[in-house]
Amino acid sequence: MNLIQHFVNGKKFLSNSKRNGKIFDPATGEQKSQIILGSKLDLDNAVIIAKKAFETWSQKPPIQRARVMFKFKELIEKNSDEITKIIVSEHGKVYEDAKGSLQRGLEIVEFACGIPQVLKGEFSENVGTNIDSWSVRQPLGVCAGITPFNFPAMVPMWMFPMAIACGNTFILKPSEKDPSCSMRLAELLTEAGLPNGVFNVVNGDKEVVDAILVNKDIQAVSFVGSTPVAKYIYENAAKNEKRVQALGGAKNHLVVMPDCDLDQAVNGLMGAAYGSAGERCMAQSVAVAVGNVADNLVNKLIKKVEALKVGPGMDKTSEMGPLISKVHLEKVKSYVDLGVKEGAKLIVDGRNLKLQGYEKGFFMGGCLFDNVKKNMKIYKEEIFGPVLSIIRVKDFNEATQLINDHEYGNGVSIYTRDGDVGRTFANKIKVGMVGINIPIPVPVAFHSFGGWKRSLFGDQHMHGPEGVRFYTKLKTITSRWPSGVRSNPEFIMPTMK
Ligand code: NAD
């Protein structure tokens, strides 16, 4: 059986931790690997190495750090088929979707290639007589990233290319459900010329996470995962004096206005609700049908959800793959049971789907609920599966109020032909990422990614300009040469004369 170890100081590394986890192929339901679940000692040893590597890496000119990123980008492109297959084999999502998610990660590496330009500081000549002042952004030290199962390439790549390009060293603790992609990326970084110890992968679960939170030499923690864990990370990292950004769960709404291009909205919803089996933090799991559009919307959706092609990720005809695990499959199905009990109308039921040859795989079909109400648990909680809820409202104001009252605020979309409605929506809605006739408004690499409310704890979004701010600290220098104006001791607050 394949054993997944750690990657520390430029090589694979086997710890003496006695704890192991199981990695499954979600399409077959069979175990394919074992993973070492690291210990506090493993993490602390990796931090010692990363701290040492920081001394030289942080002093490298940004252009040299950028060159490693350029090479890394080439290597990802060259190996993209292999990496994509790793994602499919451990996560289950369909090949083209997995490839797209790798591409979105690659775009962060492309942004990081421009780090010398982005790190340029500010300079003011003569802020006082013969006095100059300038600001620079310097790296923090050892940074850590803790990532979820649903994007094994893209989410780690929101973090480490930015952190490393800024001059930090990095410890990644990927999801223990699909860690192989991170291990392969670590090898490619080494091949790209990244010095040993700058990027390290410590595999594990809560034990490694807790070790990250208390390690005094870790300066900053980036987290992406569910909201209860995000809150825990935020509170404990801050308590231990670390910089922290902790992105949590979501319940995203797509508002369908009566004037919209309905076929476009339906196609947008299908991809956004059922793509990646709904296991996306930007999945649209609630369709808000405004006014008289509801019946038409429901009729069009029913046909499409019933026709969804569910199958293994490597089958080119599959539109939706399996869920990540048996436990998660049961959890999603139990939410569908609950919705029925709560009184929502289940108009497409995918709970009993069985695929010939893949009977043990973690598959279910798409589910569609109509007449969902805002007090129901299936509306309030994140399901993270292929379940779309339709909620009917009378007008635009009721739609925006509903969304603004929800505890999550990750992504949202509106479909309309009315520019005024689109603009008002973008202005008033309390959500971090907004789409207008765009189903999944994930910002590109040179903007930043992040939600509002209980979808993000902390002050900075990820990657792009916010990523640079998160992974650097500001220093402002004020200077005068001794040959300038001579002065006597001054006991008053200096002002610029
Ligand atoms: P998760 O919270 O279970 O796990 C995330 C990470 O935290 C993993 O590395 C895991 O090992 C660790 N972890 C889990 N339980 C822990 C605990 N009790 N203490 C310390 N560490 C713990 O999330 P998941 O199931 O892997 O991923 C799905 C969740 O991630 C969904 O809620 C989804 O919305 C969210 N997500 C959010 C975004 C975003 O950008 N906001 C992006 C992707 C996923």
Side-chain angles (χ1 to χ4, degrees):
M1 170 105 22
N2 178 35
L3 180 66
I4 299 166
Q5 312 171 21
H6 306 309
F7 189 97
V8 179
N9 209 14
K11 53 183 177 300
K12 285 186 181 161
F13 159 77
L14 191 62
S15 80
N16 52 12
S17 164
K18 296 276 175 291
R19 294 192 313 123
N20 289 329
K22 292 179 180 174
I23 311 277
F24 292 90
D25 177 343
T28 61
E30 277 159 19
Q31 186 183 350
K32 61 188 287 274
S33 318
Q34 235 181 3
I35 177 178
I36 295 272
L37 297 175
S39 62
K40 182 173 187 308
L41 186 64
D42 292 339
L43 184 277
D44 289 345
N45 285 338
V47 174
I48 291 169
I49 284 158
K51 193 179 173 194
K52 183 85 191 125
F54 178 76
E55 287 169 19
T56 41
W57 180 246
S58 58
Q59 294 304 314
K60 282 235 187 281
I63 187 69
Q64 289 185 23
R65 302 200 296 253
R67 283 186 190 130
V68 174
M69 288 295 142
F70 274 109
K71 187 79 192 140
F72 182 46
K73 167 184 142 58
E74 267 175 38
L75 288 170
I76 293 173
E77 283 163 346
K78 197 171 133 202
N79 293 282
S80 96
D81 178 60
E82 182 206 341
I83 302 169
T84 303
K85 285 178 179 155
I86 294 175
I87 298 173
V88 175
S89 70
E90 290 186 352
H91 177 280
K93 63 178 85 187
V94 300
Y95 182 89
E96 286 302 324
D97 183 31
K99 197 169 161 197
S101 72
L102 177 63
Q103 173 63 27
R104 292 306 291 259
L106 181 64
E107 288 167 12
I108 314 292
V109 179
E110 288 172 340
F111 181 79
C113 290
I115 203 72
Q117 164 71 15
V118 181
L119 279 181
K120 277 198 305 198
E122 293 178 328
F123 188 94
S124 303
E125 190 183 39
N126 245 11
V127 292
T129 308
N130 291 332
I131 297 177
D132 302 327
S133 191
W134 68 95
S135 302
V136 292
R137 301 208 71 98
Q138 295 191 333
L140 309 175
V142 183
C143 300
I146 302 159
T147 53
F149 78 81
N150 67 323
F151 283 108
M154 185 181 81
V155 171
M157 288 162 91
W158 284 351
M159 304 171 181
F160 71 77
M162 297 305 307
I164 288 172
C166 287
N168 302 285
T169 55
F170 203 83
I171 311 266
L172 175 65
K173 203 301 284 170
S175 169
E176 64 275 36
K177 297 186 179 107
D178 48 13
S180 295
C181 185
S182 298
M183 295 294 281
R184 188 68 187 115
L185 293 174
E187 286 173 347
L188 293 183
L189 274 167
T190 305
E191 201 180 324
L194 191 75
N196 292 347
V198 175
F199 180 71
N200 309 279
V201 180
V202 178
N203 280 307
D205 54 8
K206 184 170 166 48
E207 184 170 337
V208 174
V209 172
D210 286 342
I212 289 173
L213 294 174
V214 297
N215 188 300
K216 293 261 177 296
D217 288 322
I218 292 181
Q219 305 300 324
V221 179
S222 301
F223 172 86
V224 176
S226 58
T227 288
V229 186
K231 187 167 184 288
Y232 173 79
I233 302 284
Y234 177 66
E235 289 172 351
N236 286 284
K239 193 167 85 188
N240 288 298
E241 302 173 10
K242 298 180 197 314
R243 194 173 276 203
V244 54
Q245 50 181 183
L247 278 61
K251 193 83 180 178
N252 304 312
H253 301 70
L254 189 148
V255 179
V256 184
M257 294 297 291
D259 71 330
C260 77
D261 178 329
L262 193 55
D263 287 325
Q264 200 184 53
V266 167
N267 286 336
L269 260 173
M270 285 302 298
Y274 300 103
S276 206
E279 291 172 326
R280 289 183 182 143
C281 65
M282 289 292 273
Q284 298 287 4
S285 49
V286 184
V288 185
V290 177
N292 61 10
V293 83
D295 290 339
N296 276 344
L297 174 70
V298 170
N299 290 337
K300 283 182 184 274
L301 275 173
I302 289 179
K303 290 194 198 100
K304 297 234 176 202
V305 181
E306 283 176 344
L308 251 182
K309 293 197 188 75
V310 183
M314 288 309 295
D315 181 337
K316 284 201 164 56
T317 63
S318 302
E319 293 169 323
M320 188 176 105
L323 291 168
I324 183 72
S325 66
K326 191 161 175 35
V327 174
H328 190 55
L329 175 68
E330 294 311 325
K331 182 177 164 194
V332 173
K333 283 185 182 172
S334 73
Y335 265 113
V336 181
D337 300 344
L338 177 68
V340 174
K341 267 197 214 126
E342 286 181 308
K345 190 169 159 201
L346 183 61
I347 46 180
V348 182
D349 183 357
R351 283 175 293 184
N352 297 318
L353 179 106
K354 280 273 170 279
L355 284 183
Q356 211 180 359
Y358 294 91
E359 288 80 1
K360 290 197 181 133
F362 311 137
F363 291 97
M364 68 181 281
C367 294
L368 182 63
F369 275 114
D370 194 5
N371 290 330
V372 173
K373 305 287 177 217
K374 64 181 182 185
N375 59 343
M376 293 178 181
K377 272 195 170 172
I378 59 158
Y379 172 67
K380 291 202 254 184
E381 296 178 11
E382 181 181 44
I383 299 175
F384 221 56
V387 183
L388 176 62
S389 295
I390 299 168
I391 193 157
R392 296 174 180 234
V393 299
K394 65 176 184 307
D395 57 19
F396 174 75
N397 286 343
E398 193 182 338
T400 48
Q401 192 63 50
L402 181 78
I403 297 164
N404 286 347
D405 287 346
H406 205 285
E407 69 168 300
Y408 294 119
N410 215 37
V412 72
S413 286
I414 188 165
Y415 274 70
T416 179
R417 284 194 169 94
D418 185 332
D420 205 8
V421 164
R423 190 178 184 284
T424 306
F425 184 76
N427 180 256
K428 299 274 181 238
I429 210 73
K430 292 180 182 157
V431 175
M433 294 170 281
V434 183
I436 302 173
N437 300 312
I438 299 286
I440 311 182
V442 174
V444 290
F446 38 95
H447 286 267
S448 302
F449 183 106
W452 283 15
K453 299 188 270 186
R454 302 191 80 234
S455 293
L456 189 151
F457 301 92
D459 306 315
Q460 304 279 358
H461 290 199
M462 281 200 184
H463 68 70
E466 294 260 286
V468 175
R469 282 192 281 274
F470 183 77
Y471 289 121
T472 56
K473 52 193 169 189
L474 189 68
K475 183 181 275 179
T476 305
I477 300 122
T478 305
S479 144
R480 153 168 88 191
W481 287 90
S483 56
V485 180
R486 308 238 160 234
S487 55
N488 295 322
E490 286 186 16
F491 300 98
I492 56 167
M493 183 68 195
T495 55
M496 292 305 180
K497 294 170 205 140

